[in-house]
Amino acid sequence: MKPANEDLAASRAEVAYRMADAVTYLSRVAAEVGMKSISAELLAIQRRLTKSAEARLPDCQRRRAGTK
């Protein structure tokens, strides 16, 4: 059985990954309508969200995901 803090970290990581996906979509939409600078800013946010998600994963999940 996993400790509660690992479950919470995994849950927060999942939220950050979902937010990163949503921001990626918004970035694409912005790029399509010619808002290149906004698209670039959104991609920077997406990278930070992904990095945050990866940092929250418990060690065992990082190894499985290939991020460690």
Side-chain angles (χ1 to χ4, degrees):
M1 192 161 108
K2 288 193 279 185
N5 61 343
E6 281 189 18
D7 286 337
L8 181 58
S11 175
R12 288 184 176 169
E14 179 64 26
V15 169
Y17 277 124
R18 288 178 187 218
M19 289 174 66
D21 285 343
V23 171
T24 300
Y25 169 77
L26 291 173
S27 174
R28 275 191 237 132
V29 171
E32 287 174 8
V33 297
M35 298 178 173
K36 302 291 184 192
S37 64
I38 291 173
S39 177
E41 289 178 38
L42 288 168
L43 286 176
I45 292 167
Q46 182 269 344
R47 285 189 294 273
R48 290 196 327 248
L49 283 165
T50 301
K51 208 180 251 190
S52 173
E54 290 169 354
R56 291 180 184 276
L57 288 174
D59 286 341
C60 62
Q61 287 182 333
R62 271 190 223 142
R63 281 193 282 282
R64 264 187 270 142
T67 59
K68 185 174 184 185

